[in-house]
Amino acid sequence: MRLNKIKTALLALLITASLFMVYAAFAGTESDPGGSGDPLVTQSYVDQYVQWKVLELETGQVLKGHAGTEIIVRRGQAIVIDSVGNGIPDITSGVDIYAGSTVPNNHLLVIPRDDGRGVGAKSAVVVMYRGGASVQ
């Protein structure tokens, strides 16, 4: 009789330990806010890299993007500014647009490096951009 009680106690302990190990294995998974699968981000990160910003450029102004910045010219005439000569990838048409070339409206451009590439306004221009950029 006593042997049955010991077996039952050991079985209960084994089940409890197994359940605890399963819980511990899943405790830090992707569903936990702030965990490795769902990290917390700051509002400034979201504002700078996730949300699109709308900007109006006057004739002669230049929007220079940082590496990874996305630019869409919505209205007006803009040209590519590129001092390195490699062009800016036009993701919409799948080609590079080189310095001095007209930027087609509503095409997605991506600045590949932080080397001064961007778009210059030949007339009043409205652009949308996402990422880091400066106006000159």
Side-chain angles (χ1 to χ4, degrees), residues 11 29-30 40 42 47 56 59 69 72 74 78 85 88 95-96 104 109-110 114 116 120-121 126-127 129 134:
L11 182 61
T29 62
E30 298 175 21
L40 298 174
T42 63
D47 289 344
E56 294 184 28
T59 302
T69 298
I72 298 174
R74 294 285 294 141
I88 297 176
V95 298
D96 289 334
L109 308 179
V110 177
D114 196 4
V126 175
V127 296
Y129 72 96
S134 63

PDB file of all heavy atoms in Angstrom, residues 11 29-30 40 42 47 56 59 69 72 74 78 85 88 95-96 104 109-110 114 116 120-121 126-127 129 134:
ATOM      1  N   LEU A  11       4.704  10.192  -9.571  1.00  0.00           N
ATOM      2  CA  LEU A  11       4.025  10.473 -10.833  1.00  0.00           C
ATOM      3  C   LEU A  11       3.488  11.900 -10.846  1.00  0.00           C
ATOM      4  O   LEU A  11       3.625  12.625 -11.836  1.00  0.00           O
ATOM      5  CB  LEU A  11       2.897   9.464 -11.059  1.00  0.00           C
ATOM      6  CG  LEU A  11       2.131   9.608 -12.379  1.00  0.00           C
ATOM      7  CD1 LEU A  11       3.059   9.418 -13.573  1.00  0.00           C
ATOM      8  CD2 LEU A  11       0.991   8.616 -12.437  1.00  0.00           C
ATOM      9  N   THR A  29       8.151  33.468 -25.869  1.00  0.00           N
ATOM     10  CA  THR A  29       7.907  33.358 -27.302  1.00  0.00           C
ATOM     11  C   THR A  29       7.443  34.664 -27.899  1.00  0.00           C
ATOM     12  O   THR A  29       7.301  35.671 -27.228  1.00  0.00           O
ATOM     13  CB  THR A  29       6.869  32.263 -27.608  1.00  0.00           C
ATOM     14  OG1 THR A  29       5.647  32.635 -27.000  1.00  0.00           O
ATOM     15  CG2 THR A  29       7.331  30.905 -27.120  1.00  0.00           C
ATOM     16  N   GLU A  30       7.155  34.625 -29.176  1.00  0.00           N
ATOM     17  CA  GLU A  30       6.822  35.794 -29.968  1.00  0.00           C
ATOM     18  C   GLU A  30       5.579  36.524 -29.489  1.00  0.00           C
ATOM     19  O   GLU A  30       5.395  37.685 -29.798  1.00  0.00           O
ATOM     20  CB  GLU A  30       6.634  35.386 -31.425  1.00  0.00           C
ATOM     21  CG  GLU A  30       7.890  34.816 -32.032  1.00  0.00           C
ATOM     22  CD  GLU A  30       7.654  34.314 -33.438  1.00  0.00           C
ATOM     23  OE1 GLU A  30       6.693  34.723 -34.080  1.00  0.00           O
ATOM     24  OE2 GLU A  30       8.476  33.509 -33.888  1.00  0.00           O
ATOM     25  N   LEU A  40       9.732  46.047 -28.452  1.00  0.00           N
ATOM     26  CA  LEU A  40       9.138  47.369 -28.330  1.00  0.00           C
ATOM     27  C   LEU A  40       9.943  48.355 -29.169  1.00  0.00           C
ATOM     28  O   LEU A  40      11.157  48.244 -29.290  1.00  0.00           O
ATOM     29  CB  LEU A  40       9.146  47.813 -26.870  1.00  0.00           C
ATOM     30  CG  LEU A  40       8.346  46.945 -25.906  1.00  0.00           C
ATOM     31  CD1 LEU A  40       8.568  47.419 -24.464  1.00  0.00           C
ATOM     32  CD2 LEU A  40       6.877  46.999 -26.238  1.00  0.00           C
ATOM     33  N   THR A  42      10.312  52.756 -30.266  1.00  0.00           N
ATOM     34  CA  THR A  42       9.964  54.093 -29.812  1.00  0.00           C
ATOM     35  C   THR A  42       9.102  54.803 -30.846  1.00  0.00           C
ATOM     36  O   THR A  42       9.119  54.469 -32.028  1.00  0.00           O
ATOM     37  CB  THR A  42      11.225  54.926 -29.563  1.00  0.00           C
ATOM     38  OG1 THR A  42      11.917  55.080 -30.808  1.00  0.00           O
ATOM     39  CG2 THR A  42      12.134  54.266 -28.526  1.00  0.00           C
ATOM     40  N   ASP A  47       7.914  57.227 -36.345  1.00  0.00           N
ATOM     41  CA  ASP A  47       7.747  58.470 -37.095  1.00  0.00           C
ATOM     42  C   ASP A  47       8.782  58.607 -38.205  1.00  0.00           C
ATOM     43  O   ASP A  47       8.468  59.049 -39.302  1.00  0.00           O
ATOM     44  CB  ASP A  47       7.844  59.679 -36.166  1.00  0.00           C
ATOM     45  CG  ASP A  47       6.645  59.802 -35.252  1.00  0.00           C
ATOM     46  OD1 ASP A  47       5.610  59.158 -35.526  1.00  0.00           O
ATOM     47  OD2 ASP A  47       6.747  60.546 -34.254  1.00  0.00           O
ATOM     48  N   GLU A  56       6.450  69.752 -49.395  1.00  0.00           N
ATOM     49  CA  GLU A  56       6.377  70.592 -50.589  1.00  0.00           C
ATOM     50  C   GLU A  56       7.730  71.263 -50.780  1.00  0.00           C
ATOM     51  O   GLU A  56       8.228  71.924 -49.875  1.00  0.00           O
ATOM     52  CB  GLU A  56       5.269  71.634 -50.443  1.00  0.00           C
ATOM     53  CG  GLU A  56       3.886  71.012 -50.395  1.00  0.00           C
ATOM     54  CD  GLU A  56       2.769  72.046 -50.355  1.00  0.00           C
ATOM     55  OE1 GLU A  56       2.971  73.168 -50.869  1.00  0.00           O
ATOM     56  OE2 GLU A  56       1.712  71.714 -49.818  1.00  0.00           O
ATOM     57  N   THR A  59      10.858  75.530 -56.162  1.00  0.00           N
ATOM     58  CA  THR A  59      11.805  75.422 -57.272  1.00  0.00           C
ATOM     59  C   THR A  59      13.222  75.642 -56.761  1.00  0.00           C
ATOM     60  O   THR A  59      13.495  76.596 -56.042  1.00  0.00           O
ATOM     61  CB  THR A  59      11.475  76.466 -58.359  1.00  0.00           C
ATOM     62  OG1 THR A  59      10.133  76.244 -58.792  1.00  0.00           O
ATOM     63  CG2 THR A  59      12.411  76.339 -59.547  1.00  0.00           C
ATOM     64  N   THR A  69      16.079  55.490 -47.602  1.00  0.00           N
ATOM     65  CA  THR A  69      14.923  56.387 -47.691  1.00  0.00           C
ATOM     66  C   THR A  69      14.154  56.122 -48.974  1.00  0.00           C
ATOM     67  O   THR A  69      14.733  55.939 -50.034  1.00  0.00           O
ATOM     68  CB  THR A  69      15.374  57.865 -47.646  1.00  0.00           C
ATOM     69  OG1 THR A  69      16.007  58.100 -46.393  1.00  0.00           O
ATOM     70  CG2 THR A  69      14.200  58.812 -47.810  1.00  0.00           C
ATOM     71  N   ILE A  72       8.630  59.312 -53.213  1.00  0.00           N
ATOM     72  CA  ILE A  72       7.654  59.295 -54.301  1.00  0.00           C
ATOM     73  C   ILE A  72       7.337  60.746 -54.644  1.00  0.00           C
ATOM     74  O   ILE A  72       6.896  61.504 -53.776  1.00  0.00           O
ATOM     75  CB  ILE A  72       6.353  58.562 -53.914  1.00  0.00           C
ATOM     76  CG1 ILE A  72       6.633  57.105 -53.578  1.00  0.00           C
ATOM     77  CG2 ILE A  72       5.323  58.672 -55.034  1.00  0.00           C
ATOM     78  CD1 ILE A  72       5.422  56.348 -53.043  1.00  0.00           C
ATOM     79  N   ARG A  74       4.895  63.180 -56.068  1.00  0.00           N
ATOM     80  CA  ARG A  74       3.451  63.122 -56.302  1.00  0.00           C
ATOM     81  C   ARG A  74       2.987  64.147 -57.337  1.00  0.00           C
ATOM     82  O   ARG A  74       2.086  63.898 -58.106  1.00  0.00           O
ATOM     83  CB  ARG A  74       2.698  63.354 -54.988  1.00  0.00           C
ATOM     84  CG  ARG A  74       2.915  62.247 -53.973  1.00  0.00           C
ATOM     85  CD  ARG A  74       2.156  61.009 -54.315  1.00  0.00           C
ATOM     86  NE  ARG A  74       0.741  61.294 -54.223  1.00  0.00           N
ATOM     87  CZ  ARG A  74      -0.183  60.841 -55.051  1.00  0.00           C
ATOM     88  NH1 ARG A  74       0.142  60.043 -56.029  1.00  0.00           N
ATOM     89  NH2 ARG A  74      -1.441  61.161 -54.908  1.00  0.00           N
ATOM     90  N   ALA A  78      10.507  67.013 -60.996  1.00  0.00           N
ATOM     91  CA  ALA A  78      11.712  66.821 -60.195  1.00  0.00           C
ATOM     92  C   ALA A  78      12.750  66.075 -61.020  1.00  0.00           C
ATOM     93  O   ALA A  78      12.409  65.316 -61.924  1.00  0.00           O
ATOM     94  CB  ALA A  78      11.387  66.046 -58.927  1.00  0.00           C
ATOM     95  N   GLY A  85      27.176  59.293 -59.513  1.00  0.00           N
ATOM     96  CA  GLY A  85      27.013  58.726 -60.851  1.00  0.00           C
ATOM     97  C   GLY A  85      26.410  57.339 -60.932  1.00  0.00           C
ATOM     98  O   GLY A  85      26.406  56.732 -62.001  1.00  0.00           O
ATOM     99  N   ILE A  88      19.664  56.484 -59.029  1.00  0.00           N
ATOM    100  CA  ILE A  88      18.752  56.093 -57.952  1.00  0.00           C
ATOM    101  C   ILE A  88      17.834  55.013 -58.498  1.00  0.00           C
ATOM    102  O   ILE A  88      17.235  55.192 -59.562  1.00  0.00           O
ATOM    103  CB  ILE A  88      17.920  57.297 -57.461  1.00  0.00           C
ATOM    104  CG1 ILE A  88      18.835  58.375 -56.870  1.00  0.00           C
ATOM    105  CG2 ILE A  88      16.881  56.853 -56.429  1.00  0.00           C
ATOM    106  CD1 ILE A  88      18.107  59.633 -56.447  1.00  0.00           C
ATOM    107  N   VAL A  95      14.425  50.201 -63.057  1.00  0.00           N
ATOM    108  CA  VAL A  95      15.643  50.741 -63.672  1.00  0.00           C
ATOM    109  C   VAL A  95      16.254  51.785 -62.743  1.00  0.00           C
ATOM    110  O   VAL A  95      15.613  52.253 -61.806  1.00  0.00           O
ATOM    111  CB  VAL A  95      15.346  51.388 -65.050  1.00  0.00           C
ATOM    112  CG1 VAL A  95      14.800  50.359 -66.025  1.00  0.00           C
ATOM    113  CG2 VAL A  95      14.399  52.556 -64.915  1.00  0.00           C
ATOM    114  N   ASP A  96      17.505  52.150 -63.026  1.00  0.00           N
ATOM    115  CA  ASP A  96      18.139  53.262 -62.325  1.00  0.00           C
ATOM    116  C   ASP A  96      17.874  54.543 -63.094  1.00  0.00           C
ATOM    117  O   ASP A  96      17.891  54.556 -64.332  1.00  0.00           O
ATOM    118  CB  ASP A  96      19.649  53.048 -62.217  1.00  0.00           C
ATOM    119  CG  ASP A  96      20.011  51.941 -61.237  1.00  0.00           C
ATOM    120  OD1 ASP A  96      19.213  51.686 -60.312  1.00  0.00           O
ATOM    121  OD2 ASP A  96      21.094  51.353 -61.379  1.00  0.00           O
ATOM    122  N   PRO A 104       9.763  60.273 -62.782  1.00  0.00           N
ATOM    123  CA  PRO A 104       8.335  60.084 -63.092  1.00  0.00           C
ATOM    124  C   PRO A 104       7.491  60.225 -61.824  1.00  0.00           C
ATOM    125  O   PRO A 104       7.868  59.728 -60.758  1.00  0.00           O
ATOM    126  CB  PRO A 104       8.258  58.660 -63.633  1.00  0.00           C
ATOM    127  CG  PRO A 104       9.657  58.257 -63.932  1.00  0.00           C
ATOM    128  CD  PRO A 104      10.540  59.062 -63.044  1.00  0.00           C
ATOM    129  N   LEU A 109      11.135  55.553 -55.492  1.00  0.00           N
ATOM    130  CA  LEU A 109      12.594  55.588 -55.567  1.00  0.00           C
ATOM    131  C   LEU A 109      13.159  55.200 -54.205  1.00  0.00           C
ATOM    132  O   LEU A 109      12.583  55.548 -53.172  1.00  0.00           O
ATOM    133  CB  LEU A 109      13.090  56.998 -55.913  1.00  0.00           C
ATOM    134  CG  LEU A 109      12.497  57.682 -57.133  1.00  0.00           C
ATOM    135  CD1 LEU A 109      13.103  59.067 -57.299  1.00  0.00           C
ATOM    136  CD2 LEU A 109      12.715  56.847 -58.381  1.00  0.00           C
ATOM    137  N   VAL A 110      14.287  54.490 -54.206  1.00  0.00           N
ATOM    138  CA  VAL A 110      14.944  54.116 -52.952  1.00  0.00           C
ATOM    139  C   VAL A 110      16.389  54.595 -53.007  1.00  0.00           C
ATOM    140  O   VAL A 110      17.125  54.272 -53.939  1.00  0.00           O
ATOM    141  CB  VAL A 110      14.901  52.590 -52.719  1.00  0.00           C
ATOM    142  CG1 VAL A 110      15.657  52.227 -51.446  1.00  0.00           C
ATOM    143  CG2 VAL A 110      13.472  52.098 -52.633  1.00  0.00           C
ATOM    144  N   ASP A 114      23.987  56.570 -48.131  1.00  0.00           N
ATOM    145  CA  ASP A 114      23.955  57.910 -47.550  1.00  0.00           C
ATOM    146  C   ASP A 114      25.081  58.735 -48.176  1.00  0.00           C
ATOM    147  O   ASP A 114      26.082  59.037 -47.539  1.00  0.00           O
ATOM    148  CB  ASP A 114      24.121  57.800 -46.029  1.00  0.00           C
ATOM    149  CG  ASP A 114      23.731  59.067 -45.315  1.00  0.00           C
ATOM    150  OD1 ASP A 114      23.250  60.017 -45.976  1.00  0.00           O
ATOM    151  OD2 ASP A 114      23.903  59.123 -44.085  1.00  0.00           O
ATOM    152  N   GLY A 116      24.369  61.583 -50.498  1.00  0.00           N
ATOM    153  CA  GLY A 116      23.896  62.834 -51.081  1.00  0.00           C
ATOM    154  C   GLY A 116      22.920  62.701 -52.232  1.00  0.00           C
ATOM    155  O   GLY A 116      22.559  63.698 -52.851  1.00  0.00           O
ATOM    156  N   GLY A 120      15.692  66.941 -56.950  1.00  0.00           N
ATOM    157  CA  GLY A 120      15.678  68.395 -56.972  1.00  0.00           C
ATOM    158  C   GLY A 120      14.423  68.894 -57.663  1.00  0.00           C
ATOM    159  O   GLY A 120      13.972  68.318 -58.655  1.00  0.00           O
ATOM    160  N   ALA A 121      13.865  69.992 -57.166  1.00  0.00           N
ATOM    161  CA  ALA A 121      12.622  70.526 -57.701  1.00  0.00           C
ATOM    162  C   ALA A 121      12.904  71.469 -58.873  1.00  0.00           C
ATOM    163  O   ALA A 121      13.594  72.464 -58.716  1.00  0.00           O
ATOM    164  CB  ALA A 121      11.861  71.267 -56.608  1.00  0.00           C
ATOM    165  N   VAL A 126       5.528  68.250 -54.868  1.00  0.00           N
ATOM    166  CA  VAL A 126       5.041  67.586 -53.660  1.00  0.00           C
ATOM    167  C   VAL A 126       5.617  66.180 -53.659  1.00  0.00           C
ATOM    168  O   VAL A 126       5.471  65.437 -54.634  1.00  0.00           O
ATOM    169  CB  VAL A 126       3.498  67.535 -53.617  1.00  0.00           C
ATOM    170  CG1 VAL A 126       3.011  66.741 -52.410  1.00  0.00           C
ATOM    171  CG2 VAL A 126       2.915  68.931 -53.613  1.00  0.00           C
ATOM    172  N   VAL A 127       6.309  65.844 -52.593  1.00  0.00           N
ATOM    173  CA  VAL A 127       6.902  64.507 -52.463  1.00  0.00           C
ATOM    174  C   VAL A 127       6.410  63.857 -51.181  1.00  0.00           C
ATOM    175  O   VAL A 127       6.090  64.525 -50.198  1.00  0.00           O
ATOM    176  CB  VAL A 127       8.439  64.540 -52.461  1.00  0.00           C
ATOM    177  CG1 VAL A 127       8.986  65.049 -53.765  1.00  0.00           C
ATOM    178  CG2 VAL A 127       8.991  65.325 -51.306  1.00  0.00           C
ATOM    179  N   TYR A 129       7.918  60.953 -48.534  1.00  0.00           N
ATOM    180  CA  TYR A 129       9.149  60.205 -48.249  1.00  0.00           C
ATOM    181  C   TYR A 129       9.018  59.500 -46.929  1.00  0.00           C
ATOM    182  O   TYR A 129       8.275  59.891 -46.050  1.00  0.00           O
ATOM    183  CB  TYR A 129      10.380  61.115 -48.300  1.00  0.00           C
ATOM    184  CG  TYR A 129      10.506  62.086 -47.150  1.00  0.00           C
ATOM    185  CD1 TYR A 129      11.300  61.779 -46.044  1.00  0.00           C
ATOM    186  CD2 TYR A 129       9.841  63.309 -47.178  1.00  0.00           C
ATOM    187  CE1 TYR A 129      11.420  62.667 -44.992  1.00  0.00           C
ATOM    188  CE2 TYR A 129       9.952  64.200 -46.135  1.00  0.00           C
ATOM    189  CZ  TYR A 129      10.743  63.877 -45.048  1.00  0.00           C
ATOM    190  OH  TYR A 129      10.855  64.749 -44.005  1.00  0.00           O
ATOM    191  N   SER A 134      17.011  65.285 -45.686  1.00  0.00           N
ATOM    192  CA  SER A 134      17.226  66.694 -45.384  1.00  0.00           C
ATOM    193  C   SER A 134      16.894  67.517 -46.629  1.00  0.00           C
ATOM    194  O   SER A 134      17.022  67.045 -47.744  1.00  0.00           O
ATOM    195  CB  SER A 134      18.667  66.948 -44.948  1.00  0.00           C
ATOM    196  OG  SER A 134      19.574  66.635 -45.994  1.00  0.00           O
TER     197      SER A 134
END
